[in-house]
Amino acid sequence: MTSEETSAIIMECNESQNPQDAVLSKVKIGDDGTNLPKLILNYFEPSGSHPDPAKGTSSTYSPQLNKLFANIHKDVKIGFETDFAPAQKSYIRCTQRFELEEYQNEVVKRCPNHSEPNLFNGNHILTVDSTEPPRNVIYANDSDGRPVVCIQYLDQAEHCRGEEFIIRFKFHCLSSCSSRRKMCLLFEVVHDNGDVMCSHTMPVLISTCPGRDRFRHEKKAMMEVIDADVEEDGDDDDDPRGDDDGVFLVEIDDPRARELLQLFMAGLEMNDCKHTL
């Protein structure tokens, strides 16, 4: 660890014995196909979720938005792997930041209502609940006073290419506590001398109903894309956008927008079924 990280507290996280270790899906995040060194995240969609995607889940990831939606005080399971062999004494450093550039110099920590001053990590929004296999976890503050969490590699055997290890995180403060400023998680592979070998940034929203929020955010993004397409073609006199029967035609060329539209229509059909019942 470098001198930039102070007030460090070291603890050992034991391997989890969570009975809900089975997963519905595993989403690979961060593999952009380039030859640059990269940190790849494997997000595990939790099992045992409520059949309605807007209820009952502890976390959910949106590939369309590249955004994690997490429930406060609930486990989020993420696997980490690199496409290269990290140097010895390397570790994963996790920092929570504000996403917008104008707020990036501000420190992200728990609000007074969620802060626990009697705990050594009582100001950390992000904590590690367990790791697989067990390893040391270091809670510290960097040179700017930001709370950081560092998870150490164990030994040389883990420095082989592509080997994954799993970390269970928990969030201890809501996004709404920070005036709803957009947040993100910065994951970095760092050498003991302070050199950053690769990193990955993931937007995150922490709430009490992540499934509902994912649906709302994807719907909003879809409508923004559709509105942009309509505005772009608004001067086309031959554009058959509607008729007297109230049937409208919207042409969507963007594959991402089509996926969001299909998700929105599936939600409407599910809602209609509920009302029918």
Side-chain angles (χ1 to χ4, degrees):
M1 301 295 293
T2 67
S3 59
E4 291 183 352
E5 286 155 356
T6 59
S7 305
I9 303 293
I10 302 178
M11 60 179 293
E12 181 177 347
C13 280
N14 296 320
E15 187 170 357
S16 171
Q17 301 296 327
N18 194 320
Q20 293 188 354
D21 278 346
V23 295
L24 296 179
S25 61
K26 178 178 176 180
V27 184
K28 187 175 291 292
I29 308 166
D31 189 356
D32 55 9
T34 67
N35 294 324
L36 297 175
K38 60 180 70 71
L39 174 63
I40 300 170
L41 277 57
N42 294 315
Y43 167 73
F44 291 81
E45 192 79 25
S47 63
S49 299
H50 193 281
D52 186 340
K55 299 178 181 179
T57 186
S58 59
S59 66
T60 181
Y61 172 76
S62 170
Q64 292 89 350
L65 304 176
N66 182 32
K67 190 168 187 174
L68 175 67
F69 296 83
N71 203 331
I72 187 171
H73 304 315
K74 299 293 181 65
D75 281 354
V76 178
K77 182 178 179 181
I78 298 179
F80 292 83
E81 61 181 272
T82 60
D83 64 347
F84 64 98
Q88 286 186 298
K89 298 184 179 180
S90 300
Y91 56 91
I92 299 287
R93 181 170 64 196
C94 310
T95 311
Q96 193 149 8
R97 296 171 175 262
F98 290 118
E99 191 173 346
L100 296 180
E101 185 175 356
E102 59 186 297
Y103 301 124
Q104 285 186 358
N105 291 330
E106 297 187 23
V107 175
V108 180
K109 59 183 181 180
R110 298 192 204 183
C111 72
N113 291 332
H114 291 110
S115 177
E116 298 180 84
N118 295 329
L119 298 181
F120 60 86
N121 57 359
N123 281 326
H124 286 68
I125 291 181
L126 181 71
T127 64
V128 174
D129 189 55
S130 64
T131 63
E132 304 170 20
R135 66 195 64 241
N136 287 336
V137 177
I138 301 174
Y139 293 91
N141 296 317
D142 65 13
S143 58
D144 296 321
R146 289 190 180 93
V148 297
V149 184
C150 303
I151 303 96
Q152 295 180 324
Y153 285 99
L154 287 179
D155 50 40
Q156 180 62 32
E158 285 193 320
H159 296 273
C160 61
R161 181 184 179 116
E163 184 168 346
E164 178 189 42
F165 66 87
I166 294 171
I167 304 174
R168 293 180 183 273
F169 295 100
K170 282 186 179 179
F171 296 94
H172 300 275
C173 199
L174 300 167
S175 295
S176 58
C177 296
S178 300
S179 302
R180 301 190 182 277
R181 297 176 185 174
K182 294 181 179 180
M183 294 182 181
C184 63
L185 294 174
L186 175 62
F187 298 105
E188 300 169 295
V189 178
V190 187
H191 189 265
D192 193 51
N193 63 10
D195 292 340
V196 177
M197 289 173 275
C198 62
S199 63
H200 182 84
T201 301
M202 177 191 290
V204 60
L205 188 145
I206 311 161
S207 67
T208 57
C209 195
R212 173 204 62 194
D213 291 330
R214 173 184 172 180
F215 178 79
R216 289 179 177 177
H217 281 242
E218 288 181 334
K219 176 183 175 182
K220 180 181 178 182
M222 178 200 67
M223 297 307 298
E224 289 175 350
V225 172
I226 292 176
D227 290 342
D229 287 344
V230 172
E231 182 177 352
E232 181 179 348
D233 297 333
D235 296 331
D236 188 355
D237 295 335
D238 298 327
D239 188 14
R241 297 217 171 259
D243 56 27
D244 294 337
D245 296 328
V247 178
F248 293 87
L249 173 65
V250 179
E251 297 179 0
I252 303 177
D253 298 325
D254 187 353
R256 174 174 165 273
R258 285 199 297 271
E259 292 179 3
L260 290 172
L261 181 57
Q262 291 171 355
L263 179 66
F264 176 57
M265 295 303 298
L268 290 179
E269 292 174 1
M270 183 183 299
N271 190 53
D272 289 341
C273 291
K274 289 180 179 179
H275 286 299
T276 301
L277 296 175

